[in-house]
Amino acid sequence: GDIVLLAKPVTLTEGDRVTLTTDVPVATDGTSKPEKLLYAVSVPPVHGQIEHINYPGVPISRYSQLDMVAQKASSVHDNSHEAGKESLR
C-alpha cells in the first residue's frame, strides 16, 4: 500500500536537541501496525545527527515509529555557527 508521511518543521539552534515524536513526523502505510514502521535516514543532517537517547553522541541511521512513541530518538544540533535551514530525509 501507499505510505503517507506528514512532517512539521522543527527549528534547532546551536546545541539544541529535539525529541522525535509522532507530533513531528508521523507516517502510516494503511496497515493496522504503524508501530512496525521503520524510518531510514538517507541524508543525515549536515549540522548534527540523529541519536537514540540511551546512546548520546552515537549517530543512528534508522529508528522506528515505536521509538518515536517512546520518545527514544532525537535530533541534535552540533553547535556550528554557520548552520542554516536543513531538513532530515
Side-chain angles (χ1 to χ4, degrees):
D2 295 331
I3 294 177
V4 176
L5 177 65
L6 303 172
K8 295 178 186 176
V10 174
T11 302
L12 290 175
T13 57
E14 296 172 37
D16 278 354
R17 170 187 301 270
V18 66
T19 301
L20 302 178
T21 67
T22 54
D23 290 340
V24 179
V26 61
T28 181
D29 66 353
T31 69
S32 61
K33 298 185 180 193
E35 69 276 3
K36 295 201 177 223
L37 288 174
L38 295 175
Y39 294 82
V41 181
S42 59
V43 179
V46 174
H47 299 287
Q49 60 192 24
I50 305 301
E51 300 176 350
H52 191 280
I53 63 162
N54 292 343
Y55 305 100
V58 179
I60 58 174
S61 60
R62 72 167 96 204
Y63 54 93
S64 70
Q65 184 103 337
L66 195 55
D67 288 332
M68 288 194 303
V69 169
Q71 298 184 357
K72 301 240 178 204
S74 62
S75 179
V76 181
H77 193 283
D78 67 0
N79 288 326
S80 61
H81 297 284
E82 62 276 345
K85 285 187 175 183
E86 67 177 338
S87 61
L88 174 65
R89 294 179 220 198

